């Protein structure tokens, strides 16, 4: 990032994810790196900058199937509708449902939220 964009920082700090969001909220830092689907981006009204020089590798979710199930067409057919179905903004909201300090949702509630928001029907 620094080389691609010619960035120069007076100081660099390393934080665990929870603390880096607190640091940007309280003004201790001006810039952080984060996963694009992190729910705290929307919750803290942060701005995601476009990486027009592609200095950061893409963070795309993938579906992995174990070798023992790779030929299971029923499983593959069940998972296929998920490919490309969940926009990053929707994923941010679902992640924040699970990651906020108070009023956390259950994993099941977040999954139902994603299902409804992405237009996927349950069986």
């Amino acid at each position: 990032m620094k080389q691609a964009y010619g960035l120069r920082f007076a100081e660099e700090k390393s934080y665990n994810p929870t603390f880096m969001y607190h640091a940007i909220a309280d003004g201790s830092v001006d810039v952080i790196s984060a996963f694009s689907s992190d729910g705290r981006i929307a919750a803290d009204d942060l701005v995601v900058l476009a990486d027009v020089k592609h200095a950061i590798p893409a963070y795309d979710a993938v579906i992995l199937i174990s070798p023992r199930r790779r030929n299971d067409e029923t499983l593959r057919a069940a998972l296929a509708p998920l490919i490309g179905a969940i926009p990053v903004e929707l994923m941010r909201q679902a992640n924040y449902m699970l990651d906020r300090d108070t009023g956390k949702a259950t994993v099941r509630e977040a999954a139902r939220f994603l299902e409804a928001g992405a237009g996927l029907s349950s069986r």
Side-chain angles (χ1 to χ4, degrees), residues 22-88:
H22 290 301
I24 202 162
D26 72 16
S28 299
V29 299
D30 296 318
V31 177
I32 62 172
S33 61
F35 292 115
S36 60
S37 60
D38 196 316
R40 292 168 288 193
I41 292 170
D44 294 344
D45 199 28
L46 300 175
V47 175
V48 176
L49 302 175
D51 180 15
V52 296
K53 295 185 180 184
H54 307 289
I56 302 171
Y59 170 70
D60 295 326
V62 295
I63 297 172
L64 302 173
I65 300 174
S66 74
R68 66 182 170 78
R69 299 287 303 269
R70 71 175 164 251
N71 296 321
D72 184 334
E73 292 304 320
T74 303
L75 176 62
R76 295 175 87 134
L79 295 173
L82 295 175
I83 298 171
I86 302 172
V88 70

Side-chain angles (χ1 to χ4, degrees), residues 108-120:
R108 181 177 300 265
E109 290 167 334
R112 296 280 185 227
F113 171 80
L114 280 174
E115 180 182 57
L120 302 167

